[in-house]
Amino acid sequence: MNKCKGHSKKLLLAALLGIFMTGAASADAGVGPAPVSLGTADTFAILSQSGITDVYRSAIVGDVGTSPITGAALLLTCGEVSGKIYTVDAAGPLPCAVTDATFLTSAVGDMGFAYDDAAGRLSPDFTELGAGEIGGLTLAPGLYKWATGLLITTDVTLSGGPNDVWIFQVAGTLNQANATRVTLAGGALAKNIFWQVAGAVTLGTNAHFEGVVLGKTMIAVNTGASVNGRLFAQTAVTLQMNAITEPAK
């Protein structure tokens, strides 16, 4: 009888350990959709296809690049970038620009793949949340979809763990109001937040934004706005005395 009891206790312990380990694995995997792979674009703080304008002085932490447009369309100065400045030709900022058309072609291609991946995710957890106005909300991890534009008129919080993922699919424009903040809570990380936007993106004066912007068109960052994330535009990025910092990996 004692042997049977001992055997039963061992089976119970094994079952409990199995449940615990499964729970731990699920926690490690995080909540929400699978993250979007950025491929060779994952070192860039700013990547655009048709140029980067700048009102001096901005501060960029991470790599910067433009392709296929000439390096003459990348108007940041060397002292504004803590990272590499990649251009397709020798017309980029001197003396720091790195001419590497092959690498840029790969990075821009991966940027496009990332946009298509995010746009193609199916079965959203939330559809048309707030009728396109998310200011004042606290958002859990998940896949969000809007058939029109998205507004952030007051502060918004993204609350979740360090392995949780948010993907925002926006069929229209994304506009963040002046002096508003996108804030992370609960250990959420900017590297796991993806804003796929078909229209133009505008971040307001002195606003703060978190996450990776996958823009189909233009990304305009107004005076004094800051970003913890990445700005990937299939047209241009415009800066005005901004702080753009690539997210911690």
Side-chain angles (χ1 to χ4, degrees):
M1 180 65 74
N2 289 336
K3 288 184 178 179
C4 290
K5 287 183 177 178
H7 183 62
S8 297
K9 287 180 179 178
K10 288 180 180 178
L11 288 174
L12 178 60
L13 178 60
L16 290 173
L17 284 173
I19 292 170
F20 174 78
M21 293 304 292
T22 301
S26 297
D28 288 344
V31 178
V36 176
S37 174
L38 302 179
T40 55
D42 72 350
T43 68
F44 286 87
I46 305 175
L47 184 60
S48 99
Q49 291 186 245
S50 59
I52 302 170
T53 66
D54 176 53
V55 175
Y56 189 84
R57 185 178 195 270
S58 293
I60 316 301
V61 178
D63 294 343
V64 173
T66 57
S67 175
I69 198 166
T70 173
L74 199 163
L75 302 182
L76 287 161
T77 62
C78 297
E80 292 175 279
V81 180
S82 297
K84 295 180 179 179
I85 298 178
Y86 289 97
T87 57
V88 298
D89 55 27
L94 296 176
C96 62
V98 177
T99 303
D100 195 334
T102 301
F103 174 59
L104 278 170
T105 297
S106 175
V108 167
D110 286 344
M111 174 178 76
F113 291 142
Y115 179 92
D116 291 341
D117 178 12
R121 300 296 180 95
L122 302 175
S123 303
D125 301 295
F126 306 92
T127 304
E128 313 304 336
L129 181 68
E133 163 62 90
I134 60 172
L137 300 181
T138 296
L139 305 181
L143 177 62
Y144 294 74
K145 183 180 182 67
W146 291 271
T148 56
L150 185 62
L151 298 173
I152 303 174
T153 59
T154 58
D155 295 353
V156 61
T157 301
L158 278 56
S159 182
N163 297 313
D164 296 345
V165 175
W166 291 254
I167 297 178
F168 301 100
Q169 298 173 328
V170 183
T173 59
L174 168 60
N175 290 285
Q176 182 180 7
N178 296 344
T180 59
R181 297 186 64 84
V182 176
T183 300
L184 307 185
L189 297 177
K191 69 174 184 175
N192 295 326
I193 301 164
F194 304 92
W195 306 79
Q196 173 264 313
V197 186
V201 175
T202 304
L203 307 182
T205 300
N206 295 324
H208 178 74
F209 191 83
E210 297 271 349
V212 179
V213 179
L214 301 169
K216 186 70 171 178
T217 60
M218 178 180 180
I219 301 174
V221 190
N222 289 346
T223 305
S226 60
V227 176
N228 178 33
R230 306 182 193 279
L231 303 178
F232 290 172
Q234 295 183 35
T235 60
V237 175
T238 65
L239 304 175
Q240 298 181 46
M241 296 178 284
N242 306 120
I244 315 296
T245 302
E246 67 170 332
K249 296 181 181 179

